[in-house]
Amino acid sequence: MSDKPWDRIWKGAGLVTCEGEGLGLIEQGLIAVRDNEIVWVGAEVDAPRDKIAATPQIVSLNGGWVFPGLIDCHTHLVFGGNRAREFEMRLEGATYEEIARAGGGILSTVKATRAASEEELFAASLPRARDLLREGVTTLEIKSGYGLDLQSEIKMLKVARAIGAELGLTIKTSCLAAHALPPEYAGRAGDYIDLICSQILPRLAEEGLADAVDGFCEGIAFSPDEIARVFETAKDLGLPVKLHADQLSDLDGAALAASFDGLSADHLEYTNPKGVEAMARAGTVAVLLPGAFYTLKETRRPPIETFRKEGVSMALASDCNPGSSPISSLRLILNMGCTLFGLTPTEALRGVTVNAAKALGESTRKGRLAVGMDADFCHYKIGAPADLCYWMSGARPDKVVMGGGEITVL
Ligand code: NIG
Ligand code: FE
């Protein structure tokens, strides 16, 4: 152990470390931080007395549980406008696909997002990120995909980065230019894929605006061949990929993502057993999105049992977006993951911590309370870790720590 003194200690609460297979619980734990890193974690009784005595700042938590900072690994929270009218249409019987084919859906948000200035987009999107932060989310993925032209995609991703800077959150961005065919390319999907590969991705990579490349592989979006072209370009640019796969139909999307060593395949309601096996081999995380399943009143659940059997890591995310998942609460998603998909609370909690970190390629820094990890964590005054899944919304964390510093959650 280094001789350097610790900066700060948090003690007097249980720790949900997410180490090992389960939650890695430690009752009466202690976390020590230096700079922005965890330098000691364990049971308080085992902590070195001399180090504790020399630490200038000790926070006593008085019960409750400390979790790794929660991670929402799939969101579309930067967008303009809203789609309340489509909500009403769906209540009257229209389906998501019918609305999309009639020019609504994603394309209506594209129109509003293109029309918004960077400042307007920032002002509209910040509250959604703040909702998540208030629940203890410290790492957040944000996708583009409502711009669908070079300048609008850049605008979205700049806003995503600006949200991170404003709130002190870690933001991972994904370019989702292959989300829908923009109206000016109607009937010319190949040309739009050319635009993505020859201009949008290279420019975003050059400007460091995209940490990963995503796509929507679906009958109402892009074919596996079209997505494969986008992924080839991502590979050439050294960017990892992930995919909206098998949400409404089985197009072998999970296997496609796995064949490019995808960080994750997401949705997966229609994924077949071969796709699950391919994901297991590639270490591709299954990102489950019960908010979209709920909103679209889907009845077919992702193959959870097969994921378990094949040892595929499962993550849970909000999919926060104006159409299929108008939800900015990861707490609600924890409950939905258990109630709608049959995850255990342990699986659900690992799904917004250690496995969500893996889905973002951040396993070495995020998602666990362990030495060497970023000092991101949140403290909830709850009786048991499963309370976060059981109770829908309600109590907020009383402390959120990011990079070793406590932040005021407004
Ligand atoms: O993840 N599946 C495609 N994309 C989003 C929906 C976006 C929208 O409807 O605006 C999703 O569910
Ligand atoms: Fe999505």
Side-chain angles (χ1 to χ4, degrees), residues 44-68:
E44 198 178 325
V45 292
D46 298 332
R49 299 287 114 195
D50 53 331
K51 285 285 211 188
I52 298 177
T55 303
Q57 202 188 345
I58 299 182
V59 181
S60 291
L61 293 169
N62 206 12
W65 290 89
V66 178
F67 295 77

PDB file of all heavy atoms in Angstrom, residues 44-68:
ATOM      1  N   GLU A  44     -14.762  -1.854   7.826  1.00  0.00           N
ATOM      2  CA  GLU A  44     -14.135  -0.817   8.657  1.00  0.00           C
ATOM      3  C   GLU A  44     -13.148  -1.417   9.653  1.00  0.00           C
ATOM      4  O   GLU A  44     -12.060  -0.860   9.869  1.00  0.00           O
ATOM      5  CB  GLU A  44     -15.250  -0.061   9.396  1.00  0.00           C
ATOM      6  CG  GLU A  44     -14.811   1.265   9.924  1.00  0.00           C
ATOM      7  CD  GLU A  44     -15.959   2.021  10.603  1.00  0.00           C
ATOM      8  OE1 GLU A  44     -17.117   1.909  10.152  1.00  0.00           O
ATOM      9  OE2 GLU A  44     -15.671   2.699  11.592  1.00  0.00           O
ATOM     10  N   VAL A  45     -13.498  -2.573  10.203  1.00  0.00           N
ATOM     11  CA  VAL A  45     -12.610  -3.183  11.215  1.00  0.00           C
ATOM     12  C   VAL A  45     -11.248  -3.569  10.637  1.00  0.00           C
ATOM     13  O   VAL A  45     -10.280  -3.684  11.373  1.00  0.00           O
ATOM     14  CB  VAL A  45     -13.227  -4.452  11.880  1.00  0.00           C
ATOM     15  CG1 VAL A  45     -14.414  -4.104  12.741  1.00  0.00           C
ATOM     16  CG2 VAL A  45     -13.628  -5.488  10.825  1.00  0.00           C
ATOM     17  N   ASP A  46     -11.192  -3.763   9.332  1.00  0.00           N
ATOM     18  CA  ASP A  46      -9.921  -4.170   8.721  1.00  0.00           C
ATOM     19  C   ASP A  46      -9.078  -2.984   8.229  1.00  0.00           C
ATOM     20  O   ASP A  46      -7.962  -3.184   7.751  1.00  0.00           O
ATOM     21  CB  ASP A  46     -10.188  -5.081   7.502  1.00  0.00           C
ATOM     22  CG  ASP A  46     -10.895  -6.359   7.900  1.00  0.00           C
ATOM     23  OD1 ASP A  46     -10.704  -6.786   9.060  1.00  0.00           O
ATOM     24  OD2 ASP A  46     -11.647  -6.907   7.074  1.00  0.00           O
ATOM     25  N   ALA A  47      -9.620  -1.791   8.324  1.00  0.00           N
ATOM     26  CA  ALA A  47      -8.899  -0.632   7.758  1.00  0.00           C
ATOM     27  C   ALA A  47      -7.716  -0.263   8.653  1.00  0.00           C
ATOM     28  O   ALA A  47      -7.820  -0.329   9.881  1.00  0.00           O
ATOM     29  CB  ALA A  47      -9.849   0.551   7.636  1.00  0.00           C
ATOM     30  N   PRO A  48      -6.589   0.119   8.063  1.00  0.00           N
ATOM     31  CA  PRO A  48      -5.408   0.450   8.869  1.00  0.00           C
ATOM     32  C   PRO A  48      -5.639   1.693   9.743  1.00  0.00           C
ATOM     33  O   PRO A  48      -5.962   2.754   9.229  1.00  0.00           O
ATOM     34  CB  PRO A  48      -4.314   0.707   7.824  1.00  0.00           C
ATOM     35  CG  PRO A  48      -5.026   0.873   6.525  1.00  0.00           C
ATOM     36  CD  PRO A  48      -6.346   0.215   6.619  1.00  0.00           C
ATOM     37  N   ARG A  49      -5.484   1.505  11.047  1.00  0.00           N
ATOM     38  CA  ARG A  49      -5.781   2.569  12.036  1.00  0.00           C
ATOM     39  C   ARG A  49      -4.964   3.836  11.787  1.00  0.00           C
ATOM     40  O   ARG A  49      -5.468   4.943  11.872  1.00  0.00           O
ATOM     41  CB  ARG A  49      -5.476   2.093  13.471  1.00  0.00           C
ATOM     42  CG  ARG A  49      -6.262   0.888  13.957  1.00  0.00           C
ATOM     43  CD  ARG A  49      -7.712   1.228  14.251  1.00  0.00           C
ATOM     44  NE  ARG A  49      -8.538   0.504  13.293  1.00  0.00           N
ATOM     45  CZ  ARG A  49      -9.812   0.743  13.035  1.00  0.00           C
ATOM     46  NH1 ARG A  49     -10.437   1.706  13.644  1.00  0.00           N
ATOM     47  NH2 ARG A  49     -10.482   0.033  12.168  1.00  0.00           N
ATOM     48  N   ASP A  50      -3.659   3.642  11.490  1.00  0.00           N
ATOM     49  CA  ASP A  50      -2.796   4.829  11.333  1.00  0.00           C
ATOM     50  C   ASP A  50      -3.249   5.687  10.151  1.00  0.00           C
ATOM     51  O   ASP A  50      -3.236   6.912  10.208  1.00  0.00           O
ATOM     52  CB  ASP A  50      -1.327   4.404  11.173  1.00  0.00           C
ATOM     53  CG  ASP A  50      -1.145   3.386  10.056  1.00  0.00           C
ATOM     54  OD1 ASP A  50      -2.094   2.612   9.784  1.00  0.00           O
ATOM     55  OD2 ASP A  50      -0.070   3.369   9.433  1.00  0.00           O
ATOM     56  N   LYS A  51      -3.672   5.027   9.104  1.00  0.00           N
ATOM     57  CA  LYS A  51      -4.146   5.765   7.927  1.00  0.00           C
ATOM     58  C   LYS A  51      -5.404   6.554   8.269  1.00  0.00           C
ATOM     59  O   LYS A  51      -5.567   7.706   7.868  1.00  0.00           O
ATOM     60  CB  LYS A  51      -4.473   4.787   6.791  1.00  0.00           C
ATOM     61  CG  LYS A  51      -3.246   4.231   6.109  1.00  0.00           C
ATOM     62  CD  LYS A  51      -2.647   5.283   5.230  1.00  0.00           C
ATOM     63  CE  LYS A  51      -1.975   4.650   4.037  1.00  0.00           C
ATOM     64  NZ  LYS A  51      -1.219   5.644   3.278  1.00  0.00           N
ATOM     65  N   ILE A  52      -6.318   5.884   8.957  1.00  0.00           N
ATOM     66  CA  ILE A  52      -7.571   6.569   9.322  1.00  0.00           C
ATOM     67  C   ILE A  52      -7.238   7.801  10.160  1.00  0.00           C
ATOM     68  O   ILE A  52      -7.733   8.908   9.902  1.00  0.00           O
ATOM     69  CB  ILE A  52      -8.523   5.628  10.113  1.00  0.00           C
ATOM     70  CG1 ILE A  52      -8.926   4.429   9.248  1.00  0.00           C
ATOM     71  CG2 ILE A  52      -9.751   6.389  10.586  1.00  0.00           C
ATOM     72  CD1 ILE A  52      -9.805   3.402   9.946  1.00  0.00           C
ATOM     73  N   ALA A  53      -6.348   7.620  11.150  1.00  0.00           N
ATOM     74  CA  ALA A  53      -6.020   8.718  12.064  1.00  0.00           C
ATOM     75  C   ALA A  53      -5.419   9.915  11.318  1.00  0.00           C
ATOM     76  O   ALA A  53      -5.610  11.063  11.709  1.00  0.00           O
ATOM     77  CB  ALA A  53      -5.042   8.218  13.129  1.00  0.00           C
ATOM     78  N   ALA A  54      -4.726   9.638  10.214  1.00  0.00           N
ATOM     79  CA  ALA A  54      -4.050  10.724   9.487  1.00  0.00           C
ATOM     80  C   ALA A  54      -4.921  11.342   8.387  1.00  0.00           C
ATOM     81  O   ALA A  54      -4.471  12.239   7.672  1.00  0.00           O
ATOM     82  CB  ALA A  54      -2.757  10.182   8.873  1.00  0.00           C
ATOM     83  N   THR A  55      -6.144  10.866   8.251  1.00  0.00           N
ATOM     84  CA  THR A  55      -6.996  11.367   7.159  1.00  0.00           C
ATOM     85  C   THR A  55      -7.745  12.628   7.595  1.00  0.00           C
ATOM     86  O   THR A  55      -8.430  12.610   8.618  1.00  0.00           O
ATOM     87  CB  THR A  55      -7.994  10.268   6.722  1.00  0.00           C
ATOM     88  OG1 THR A  55      -7.257   9.116   6.335  1.00  0.00           O
ATOM     89  CG2 THR A  55      -8.848  10.738   5.552  1.00  0.00           C
ATOM     90  N   PRO A  56      -7.601  13.708   6.833  1.00  0.00           N
ATOM     91  CA  PRO A  56      -8.183  14.975   7.274  1.00  0.00           C
ATOM     92  C   PRO A  56      -9.715  15.023   7.254  1.00  0.00           C
ATOM     93  O   PRO A  56     -10.320  15.759   8.012  1.00  0.00           O
ATOM     94  CB  PRO A  56      -7.614  15.998   6.283  1.00  0.00           C
ATOM     95  CG  PRO A  56      -7.133  15.228   5.106  1.00  0.00           C
ATOM     96  CD  PRO A  56      -6.790  13.864   5.606  1.00  0.00           C
ATOM     97  N   GLN A  57     -10.327  14.236   6.396  1.00  0.00           N
ATOM     98  CA  GLN A  57     -11.784  14.359   6.286  1.00  0.00           C
ATOM     99  C   GLN A  57     -12.447  12.990   6.362  1.00  0.00           C
ATOM    100  O   GLN A  57     -12.176  12.113   5.531  1.00  0.00           O
ATOM    101  CB  GLN A  57     -12.127  15.027   4.948  1.00  0.00           C
ATOM    102  CG  GLN A  57     -13.482  15.677   4.948  1.00  0.00           C
ATOM    103  CD  GLN A  57     -13.877  16.148   3.553  1.00  0.00           C
ATOM    104  OE1 GLN A  57     -13.053  16.250   2.644  1.00  0.00           O
ATOM    105  NE2 GLN A  57     -15.145  16.423   3.381  1.00  0.00           N
ATOM    106  N   ILE A  58     -13.289  12.827   7.384  1.00  0.00           N
ATOM    107  CA  ILE A  58     -13.972  11.538   7.548  1.00  0.00           C
ATOM    108  C   ILE A  58     -15.478  11.788   7.585  1.00  0.00           C
ATOM    109  O   ILE A  58     -15.972  12.568   8.399  1.00  0.00           O
ATOM    110  CB  ILE A  58     -13.519  10.830   8.846  1.00  0.00           C
ATOM    111  CG1 ILE A  58     -12.007  10.572   8.775  1.00  0.00           C
ATOM    112  CG2 ILE A  58     -14.289   9.524   9.038  1.00  0.00           C
ATOM    113  CD1 ILE A  58     -11.429   9.833   9.954  1.00  0.00           C
ATOM    114  N   VAL A  59     -16.187  11.147   6.677  1.00  0.00           N
ATOM    115  CA  VAL A  59     -17.639  11.315   6.607  1.00  0.00           C
ATOM    116  C   VAL A  59     -18.295  10.064   7.199  1.00  0.00           C
ATOM    117  O   VAL A  59     -18.053   8.949   6.719  1.00  0.00           O
ATOM    118  CB  VAL A  59     -18.096  11.484   5.132  1.00  0.00           C
ATOM    119  CG1 VAL A  59     -19.606  11.683   5.054  1.00  0.00           C
ATOM    120  CG2 VAL A  59     -17.351  12.625   4.459  1.00  0.00           C
ATOM    121  N   SER A  60     -19.095  10.249   8.250  1.00  0.00           N
ATOM    122  CA  SER A  60     -19.815   9.117   8.847  1.00  0.00           C
ATOM    123  C   SER A  60     -21.222   9.076   8.269  1.00  0.00           C
ATOM    124  O   SER A  60     -21.950  10.064   8.333  1.00  0.00           O
ATOM    125  CB  SER A  60     -19.879   9.266  10.369  1.00  0.00           C
ATOM    126  OG  SER A  60     -18.586   9.094  10.888  1.00  0.00           O
ATOM    127  N   LEU A  61     -21.573   7.944   7.714  1.00  0.00           N
ATOM    128  CA  LEU A  61     -22.822   7.881   6.957  1.00  0.00           C
ATOM    129  C   LEU A  61     -24.024   7.421   7.777  1.00  0.00           C
ATOM    130  O   LEU A  61     -25.165   7.591   7.368  1.00  0.00           O
ATOM    131  CB  LEU A  61     -22.635   6.968   5.740  1.00  0.00           C
ATOM    132  CG  LEU A  61     -21.671   7.537   4.702  1.00  0.00           C
ATOM    133  CD1 LEU A  61     -21.318   6.481   3.662  1.00  0.00           C
ATOM    134  CD2 LEU A  61     -22.263   8.752   4.016  1.00  0.00           C
ATOM    135  N   ASN A  62     -23.784   6.790   8.889  1.00  0.00           N
ATOM    136  CA  ASN A  62     -24.903   6.449   9.765  1.00  0.00           C
ATOM    137  C   ASN A  62     -25.928   5.527   9.108  1.00  0.00           C
ATOM    138  O   ASN A  62     -27.113   5.830   9.046  1.00  0.00           O
ATOM    139  CB  ASN A  62     -25.555   7.775  10.208  1.00  0.00           C
ATOM    140  CG  ASN A  62     -26.258   7.623  11.544  1.00  0.00           C
ATOM    141  OD1 ASN A  62     -26.068   6.610  12.229  1.00  0.00           O
ATOM    142  ND2 ASN A  62     -27.071   8.597  11.894  1.00  0.00           N
ATOM    143  N   GLY A  63     -25.463   4.419   8.621  1.00  0.00           N
ATOM    144  CA  GLY A  63     -26.372   3.408   8.049  1.00  0.00           C
ATOM    145  C   GLY A  63     -26.593   3.588   6.561  1.00  0.00           C
ATOM    146  O   GLY A  63     -25.981   4.429   5.913  1.00  0.00           O
ATOM    147  N   GLY A  64     -27.486   2.755   6.016  1.00  0.00           N
ATOM    148  CA  GLY A  64     -27.769   2.804   4.579  1.00  0.00           C
ATOM    149  C   GLY A  64     -26.721   2.053   3.770  1.00  0.00           C
ATOM    150  O   GLY A  64     -25.901   1.312   4.325  1.00  0.00           O
ATOM    151  N   TRP A  65     -26.769   2.234   2.447  1.00  0.00           N
ATOM    152  CA  TRP A  65     -25.888   1.489   1.539  1.00  0.00           C
ATOM    153  C   TRP A  65     -25.241   2.415   0.509  1.00  0.00           C
ATOM    154  O   TRP A  65     -25.895   3.306  -0.028  1.00  0.00           O
ATOM    155  CB  TRP A  65     -26.683   0.395   0.803  1.00  0.00           C
ATOM    156  CG  TRP A  65     -27.086  -0.719   1.717  1.00  0.00           C
ATOM    157  CD1 TRP A  65     -28.237  -0.786   2.457  1.00  0.00           C
ATOM    158  CD2 TRP A  65     -26.326  -1.896   2.037  1.00  0.00           C
ATOM    159  NE1 TRP A  65     -28.250  -1.944   3.204  1.00  0.00           N
ATOM    160  CE2 TRP A  65     -27.088  -2.644   2.965  1.00  0.00           C
ATOM    161  CE3 TRP A  65     -25.092  -2.395   1.623  1.00  0.00           C
ATOM    162  CZ2 TRP A  65     -26.646  -3.863   3.477  1.00  0.00           C
ATOM    163  CZ3 TRP A  65     -24.646  -3.614   2.133  1.00  0.00           C
ATOM    164  CH2 TRP A  65     -25.426  -4.331   3.065  1.00  0.00           C
ATOM    165  N   VAL A  66     -23.971   2.152   0.264  1.00  0.00           N
ATOM    166  CA  VAL A  66     -23.233   2.883  -0.771  1.00  0.00           C
ATOM    167  C   VAL A  66     -23.124   1.985  -2.007  1.00  0.00           C
ATOM    168  O   VAL A  66     -22.723   0.823  -1.901  1.00  0.00           O
ATOM    169  CB  VAL A  66     -21.813   3.251  -0.295  1.00  0.00           C
ATOM    170  CG1 VAL A  66     -21.045   3.968  -1.412  1.00  0.00           C
ATOM    171  CG2 VAL A  66     -21.862   4.116   0.958  1.00  0.00           C
ATOM    172  N   PHE A  67     -23.494   2.549  -3.142  1.00  0.00           N
ATOM    173  CA  PHE A  67     -23.401   1.841  -4.427  1.00  0.00           C
ATOM    174  C   PHE A  67     -22.343   2.515  -5.296  1.00  0.00           C
ATOM    175  O   PHE A  67     -22.104   3.708  -5.164  1.00  0.00           O
ATOM    176  CB  PHE A  67     -24.741   1.941  -5.190  1.00  0.00           C
ATOM    177  CG  PHE A  67     -25.887   1.258  -4.518  1.00  0.00           C
ATOM    178  CD1 PHE A  67     -26.522   1.840  -3.428  1.00  0.00           C
ATOM    179  CD2 PHE A  67     -26.348   0.031  -4.973  1.00  0.00           C
ATOM    180  CE1 PHE A  67     -27.588   1.207  -2.794  1.00  0.00           C
ATOM    181  CE2 PHE A  67     -27.412  -0.605  -4.350  1.00  0.00           C
ATOM    182  CZ  PHE A  67     -28.032  -0.018  -3.260  1.00  0.00           C
ATOM    183  N   PRO A  68     -21.773   1.776  -6.245  1.00  0.00           N
ATOM    184  CA  PRO A  68     -20.969   2.458  -7.264  1.00  0.00           C
ATOM    185  C   PRO A  68     -21.890   3.475  -7.939  1.00  0.00           C
ATOM    186  O   PRO A  68     -23.096   3.225  -8.051  1.00  0.00           O
ATOM    187  CB  PRO A  68     -20.613   1.345  -8.264  1.00  0.00           C
ATOM    188  CG  PRO A  68     -20.892   0.061  -7.552  1.00  0.00           C
ATOM    189  CD  PRO A  68     -21.947   0.330  -6.528  1.00  0.00           C
TER     190      PRO A  68
END
